[in-house]
Amino acid sequence: MSDAASSARGDLGLSHLTKSYGDFTAVNDLSLIIPKGSFFALLGPSGCGKTTTLRMIAGLEEPTQGTISLGATDITYTKPYQRPINTVFQNYALFPHLTIFENIAFGLRRRGIKDVDDAVNKALDLVELPHLAQRKPTQLSGGQQQRIALARAIVNRPALLLLDEPLGALDLKLRRQMQIELKWIQKEVGITFVHVTHDQEEAMTMADTIAVMNEGEIEQMGSPAELYDNPKTAFVANFLGQSNLIKGSITGSDGANQIVDLFGQKISLQKDRSHAVDNSILAGIRPEKFRISRLETSTSGNVLTGGKIEDVSYIGVSTQYQVLMPWGQELMVFEQNDDGVAPFSVGESVNISWEPVFTFALRGDDDAEAGTEVNPEEDLEEE
Amino acid sequence: MSDAASSARGDLGLSHLTKSYGDFTAVNDLSLIIPKGSFFALLGPSGCGKTTTLRMIAGLEEPTQGTISLGATDITYTKPYQRPINTVFQNYALFPHLTIFENIAFGLRRRGIKDVDDAVNKALDLVELPHLAQRKPTQLSGGQQQRIALARAIVNRPALLLLDEPLGALDLKLRRQMQIELKWIQKEVGITFVHVTHDQEEAMTMADTIAVMNEGEIEQMGSPAELYDNPKTAFVANFLGQSNLIKGSITGSDGANQIVDLFGQKISLQKDRSHAVDNSILAGIRPEKFRISRLETSTSGNVLTGGKIEDVSYIGVSTQYQVLMPWGQELMVFEQNDDGVAPFSVGESVNISWEPVFTFALRGDDDAEAGTEVNPEEDLEEE
Amino acid sequence: MNTLSRWFGRNLLRIYAVVAFTYLFIPVAYTFAFSFNDSGKSNLIWKGFTWANWQNPCGAPEVCTALGNSIKIGLLATIFSTILGTMIAFAIGRHKFKGRSSTNLLIFLPMATPEIVLGASLLSLFLVFQINPGFWPTVIAHVLFCMSFVVVTVKARIASLDPRLEQAAMDLYANERETFRRVTLPLVAPGIAAAALLAFSLSFDDFIITNFNSGTMTTFPKFIYTSAARGIPAQANVIGSAMFFLALAIVIVGQLVTRKRKVS
Amino acid sequence: GSGGGSSENAIRWGNWPLYLDVDDSGKNYPTLQAFIKDSGIDVKYLEDYNDNDEFFGKVQAQLKLNKDIGYDLVCPTDWMAGRWIRLGYAQKFDSANIPNKSNIVDTLAAPSYDANRDYSLTWQGIMGGFGWNTTKNPKGIRTLDDLFSPANKGKIVVLSEMRDTIGIILMAQGVNLQTVTEAQFMNGVDFLAQKIADGWIRGVKGNEYAEDLTSGDATAVIGWSGDMFILKSENEGKFDFAIPESGGTISGDNMLIPSTATPEAKANAEKLINYYYEPAVAAEVAAYVNYFCPVKGAQAEMEKIDPDLAASEFIFPTAKTMSNLSVFRALTPTEETTWTEAFQKAAGN
Amino acid sequence: MKKISTPYLLLIPGMGFLFIFFILPLFNLAQTSTQTPVGGGDTGEYEQTWRIANYFDAFVENREQFGRSFLYALIATVLALAIAYPLAYTIAFKGGRFKNVMLVLVIAPFFTSFLLRTIAWKQILGEEGFVVPTLRSLHVISESTTLTSSAFAVVMGMTYNFLPFMTLPLYASIDRIDPRTLEASGDLYANGFTTFRRVTLPLSMPGVVAGTLLTFIPAAGDYVNAAILGSPQTKMLGNVIESRYFRIVDYPTASALSFTLMISILILVTVYVRKAGTEELV
Ligand SMILES: Nc1ncnc2c1ncn2[C@@H]1O[C@H](COP(=O)(O)OP(=O)(O)OP(=O)(O)O)[C@@H](O)[C@H]1O
Ligand SMILES: Nc1ncnc2c1ncn2[C@@H]1O[C@H](COP(=O)(O)OP(=O)(O)OP(=O)(O)O)[C@@H](O)[C@H]1O
Ligand SMILES: NCCCCNCCCN
Ligand SMILES: [Mg+2]
Ligand SMILES: [Mg+2]
């Protein structure tokens, strides 16, 4: 076993991976390469096939089609225990008959390691639960169980670690702390992480590469900044963070920029940030890029005039505004609460401005609402 | 059954509620009143007793001590099914032998309602899963199961709804959408919500009242803004959002303000925002309240000089800085990315400033690290 | 009053359990009581108290030989049926294979066969093969009917096993054998233990099939049946009661030992 | 025989319960122990011959295949002994080994099924009649009407031994057991079936009827003489026995060596038979079992043991008593089958 | 050489055993059931004549006992289910650390031989036990009513003797139920009874099916209870088969009856299992 664990290191490759349950396709012709030692995050709405993908990589589910390779080795049909891969299960799957200590020691013992105390205690310290070593899993709270599941996988220092929402049941502080520990381990030991998470900040701060999945397929893959600043589709733009998408058309060009008409107001857009295929586009701007100004204030960059504050909500770090534009669309604007200045109030007339460099453009025929909510109709393809 | 469901409406009162498992006290002498129709959020680190508290309210766990009342009725020993209370369980607890449809219809049928189709279908629409009505729970993904658990409870429109991390397995978008729906239902139907969540933003935006729990006890309770702007203890200051806590002493007074010495630099603090008992304090400032400026720029308000950028990290909406102060403490600063100006870089010397009104003060002997991580030693009281 | 009815409400099931166990133990208690009867030949009517039967449990002719045979047969039948039955249970419960449902049916058939049919048809087989009824034929007969019970009991336990736990073990480098040994087996073990206990009880208590296949060898139930005609000696009551208490004692001691181990 | 479970110098004897003298402890058989001691032959005494049909049913397959049946000496009743002999399941005695054979009483010396007593010797003679609980039947039972008196309703047990139960019924109906026809027999069976259907009869049983009397579940029975006298003496007169006015049955149980016994076992069994045909030994057995003693000279020996018993009509019957007792005639194999079936059916089987 | 896969390796020993000691004898039995007697029939000599009518004769002759067997077994099964279910439930959910002890208590009576216990019942319920005189003096039963030698006693004996066979499988499947689903049910307005009917019972159905089969089948084939506690009017098919084997040495009829009993049970069981919605037999 330790043979298997030490050999066959290398990149993880998924090629045309497909998994169907009867008529329903949970993962559809998925191909990607995850470089050795990288931190790869898998994001996507509920039910899009993330868990299924991880289970195939772990060897717990046989693909309906496609292959999985680790380095040069095809592991599609390799037994789970022969893969140098460990998993933190979404449902924990702790062994009910073993103590917490023995749960964590399980993998080490299987690899013939005699003296496990040190490693197990370190793992327990890592998840802040050294005092629970002798309890049974049922005597733990939800978050405690999740941390044990994490410790049980990480203690093995596998070549590849699959994490299925490993921190979902933890409070923010603990989650941040665990994130730091995980990142540290990943760098220190050079483990490849494949991480499923619903916490976008987690994905953004931790991952080298993020893949956004939707209905069994990968929509876009890239570095966090790439995905955030330059999303290719409305689904990605909306799913990862929030976006204001405004229908418009390209009316001209000005050096590296294009001139875009948004309901009669002209703005400019960097050519290399456009994924449009023709003149019809969706212009995208993140809400935090917007600045709001009272009508009398002068503004620079791209400006849209004629806004009206529709809603104000205070969320601690910042304030969120809904601004109704003349063409009837509500735009979302975030302003950080750092200046102690009285915020705008509902009904005020305002202008909105932003730096042109922050504009991105999507195909005009993309669904501006994609990724803002799960669309039940789209799922109906099955049955 | 419907008798019990319709009678006994009113405030939920917990009085000296205690639950022990052997030597270990999970919930300790907890007393509070949750007004009818309010949205109450329970926050706290993993294992602090949130689930246990909810289970006692639902009648699934008998308190070791104390009483629970709903309106004028003592329900401490009332059977779960006689309480007009529904629960969304942390572990879902769906009925494995029933279809999704029947799972949701369960409570309605028990109350003798014949025509359940409409209500069930509406609940399914609400959680965006109408196409899964005829599946069995095991054929659902984690997030889908969680949504069914939510639908199953909500369809009953109970007087009191207990939600134990009901959205934890959902992606951000879906979570936000569900939050809106939940809030809408709560207002519309006048249900009292007791909501356990690890998502602080969720708690902040949704709840009327937040209680922060720690080791079986409530540390502070109040409106979101109150808790955020004016935390009483270091635990709350750190657990709810992030705080910079700087040791200092009160050296004088100036009208409604006190003059505070922070390692030789003077700042001012509103008297009514101090929870200190003597001259020794911990001065607290939220990271987003700080502004960073290059040394040459003039700054107003409270100013701390001599900082050095230690770390910069980009997280989409904003950038986080770690600033090392002359006394060796690292302060955290968030700056929103709204101006397209080149961010500060590591090594730059900077000043930090903020509006005095944002300063709060805690007891000088409070543990500045409390709530930033689980401290295993503190838990060790058991066994 | 309120607390009293609450106490009742809460303990209704426990009270019921006490009543049900009482029902189960009435004849055991009767047997126990009459083990102290100063009965002479026929132990039907209370004739006065004596320790004599307990002081000399093997006093009645053949009774201890019969008991010894029953225990030997019981142990052998338990071992063989538990091994064979557990293997089958795992095959059915953990694998998909061709002929699984007919295998299921075949396992079920011996249970669906009245004992008398089982006993008689087996005897005729032994005779065809020139095998004399006696000890080993009885053991074989017992293995036969105990095996199905073992399969059913163990299979039920296997079915209740969360497959994700075995997957987790595999994920943690345990190969099939180790997964079986470290996760599956410990989790199924209570089922196997229950099956073994059941097998022993069934074998120890069997009369009908034994009656066909044991020839002149006596077993404890056979001894009782044949003595029924001339009066069951009180020693039989002694042995019946002693076996009962022995079974209880073994389990209670076992329980205490495991609890102690857990505590320390 | 082949196989042979019997080791050298040991034999296995299957006999009816309550059929051998027992000491007061209830554990030792004095006459048998004496034999074991004197002869050096170990005898395993098995009291598991409860019912003729049942015993035959259990061993017949082995007999047919000539496999050891687990007994070297058995004790079937006349008609069943006849069947064993007819089917070749009994071994012919070596007369030299049984010089006491001549001690057999004249009435039993030449039965139809074994005219020369080549294969069988009577163990005890049995009278079938009425037995009852004296407190429940203070006036005793002499006729079928007495038996079926309301006080006994639901508490009557009759023998599963067809010839005794139906025989007594038939005689009460005036039928001669030596000439009984199928029609007459079936009449008797119908009578029995009716009584069962009307709830008079609690059970049709083998030797267990004695237990039912003791426990109080039965208050009146069709039973066997010897058992009843044992019960009577053990229970201070609580039970009694009588030959029906209309006549009782008489039969014998016979020692017989199965075809499957080894030659050594056979020789040892013959020694045992010879031993029990010594008048003194026979008297000792009779003094306990109280059955009709088949050995000449035993009455004289009995005088020494218990003069009362020596005078008992039931142990040493006079001609007058004998005249009120009938032997059931031999049945053809076909009759045997159909009559037994009818009887079993009446008994619910 | 092709490797034999795991399930088959696991099956071979047990299945081989079953084939030799169960299937072969059944074939033998099937043959015997169509034989006819040589000579008078009192000798146990039969020849193979493939007389299928044996089955018809055997059934017609004994249809009363047939009916009784199934009726008594059915009543005993229902009673045992009623008694065992709450017991198994209590052990599973309220047993706590006494679970194992209680489970052993359920099987412990086996060790006091079932014959001894049945005979004990016969005494307890007999004329001179304490029950009958008490009931008579209270005028609950009349002087002539007896408790033993009755259908009541036979059914009671069977209920009693097969109770562990009912309790154990019930326990096994009730113990498997996730208590959290029961909590969820209570939370959703189901009272104790409704939770039982809608959640507990459906989830324990495999145990109910297994328990009822393990009780019904042996009960339908039993003859010892009827022999010890019954009267000629309460004889069951088992008694007939026993008497055919042991008293009349009528092997063909006994075999035919055995087969008929087996097949009837199988048919009933199949229908029942289908109705109960469990796919696999037990
Ligand atoms: N059966 C038990 N025996 C002993 N301790 C227990 C038991 N159940 C829970 N606990 C302990 O009680 C404490 C509170 O548990 P609870 O489930 O209420 O936590 P929680 O606040 O819901 O945590 P989480 O956010 O992780 O779900 C935990 O420390 C847990 O370890
Ligand atoms: N056994 C099954 N039969 C049919 N469909 C299934 C089965 N298991 C999963 N699915 C479906 O496959 C899809 C993908 O499931 P998967 O568990 O991979 O989702 P996921 O991305 O992990 O979602 P979540 O974030 O909610 O955990 C879901 O729509 C789910 O309903
Ligand atoms: N207790 C011994 C009884 C012997 C009875 N033998 C059967 C005789 C049948 N007529
Ligand atoms: Mg998932
Ligand atoms: Mg919890």
Side-chain angles (χ1 to χ4, degrees), chain D residues 51 53-58 60-61 64 83 86-87 89 133 136 153-155 160 196-199 201-205 212 214-217 238 333-334 336-337 340-341 344-349, chain E residues 39-46 61-62 65 68 122-123 125-129 136 143-149 227-228 230-233 235-236 239-240 242-251:
Chain D
D51 177 292
D53 288 314
E54 189 186 273
F55 192 90
F56 182 70
K58 217 172 84 181
Q60 85 81 31
K64 200 158 74 181
R83 187 190 293 178
R86 174 162 52 87
L87 295 175
Y89 295 162
N133 180 320
K136 299 284 157 70
K153 180 148 189 189
K155 290 169 200 164
S160 58
I196 287 172
D198 292 347
I201 293 174
R202 194 184 185 91
V204 181
K205 299 187 177 179
D212 282 355
T214 316
S215 72
D217 284 347
K238 195 176 164 194
T334 318
E336 181 100 35
T337 308
T340 309
E341 243 180 78
Q344 286 292 343
K345 198 162 158 24
N349 296 317
Chain E
D42 63 336
T43 63
E45 297 275 354
Y46 297 92
E61 279 281 294
N62 299 288
Q65 287 89 340
R68 231 179 256 145
K122 187 180 164 207
Q123 293 319 124
L125 298 177
E127 290 300 300
E128 287 175 14
R136 286 212 179 116
E143 278 302 313
S144 60
T145 311
T146 57
L147 292 186
T148 49
S149 299
I228 295 178
S231 75
Q233 287 168 283
K235 292 284 173 69
M236 300 168 57
N239 301 86
V240 179
E242 194 245 13
S243 117
R244 290 283 160 172
Y245 261 114
F246 283 157
R247 293 172 200 276
I248 314 182
V249 284
D250 178 0
Y251 300 138

Side-chain angles (χ1 to χ4, degrees), chain E residues 77-143:
Chain E
T77 304
V78 171
L79 288 177
L81 180 62
I83 297 170
Y85 200 104
L87 184 62
Y89 185 92
T90 312
I91 299 174
F93 284 129
K94 313 266 163 175
R97 59 207 165 89
F98 299 112
K99 242 185 204 180
N100 287 338
V101 175
M102 287 167 93
L103 272 181
V104 171
L105 283 181
V106 172
I107 354 186
F110 277 119
F111 290 82
T112 318
S113 185
F114 106 92
L115 287 164
L116 263 185
R117 284 176 295 129
T118 310
I119 290 168
W121 274 121
K122 187 180 164 207
Q123 293 319 124
I124 292 165
L125 298 177
E127 290 300 300
E128 287 175 14
F130 59 87
V131 180
V132 167
T134 312
L135 292 179
R136 286 212 179 116
S137 66
L138 295 171
H139 297 286
V140 177
I141 58 172
S142 74
E143 278 302 313

Side-chain angles (χ1 to χ4, degrees), chain E residues 26-36 46-56 58 245 250-260:
Chain E
L26 279 188
F27 270 112
N28 197 20
L29 195 72
Q31 276 193 351
T32 310
S33 69
T34 53
Q35 293 176 345
T36 43
Y46 297 92
E47 61 188 352
Q48 190 63 31
T49 55
W50 303 107
R51 184 170 183 277
I52 303 293
N54 281 355
Y55 280 86
F56 181 75
Y245 261 114
D250 178 0
Y251 300 138
T253 307
S255 305
L257 284 174
S258 299
F259 249 94
T260 315

Side-chain angles (χ1 to χ4, degrees), chain B residues 185-224:
Chain B
I185 290 174
Q186 189 250 338
K187 282 208 180 125
E188 194 74 8
V189 192
I191 303 179
T192 311
F193 273 41
V194 181
H195 187 101
V196 168
T197 176
H198 286 321
D199 182 341
Q200 301 189 3
E201 203 176 319
E202 189 171 301
M204 300 287 263
T205 48
M206 297 176 80
D208 307 320
T209 311
I210 295 180
V212 177
M213 248 185 118
N214 188 23
E215 294 185 14
E217 304 183 12
I218 292 199
E219 289 250 345
Q220 188 177 352
M221 213 170 106
S223 74

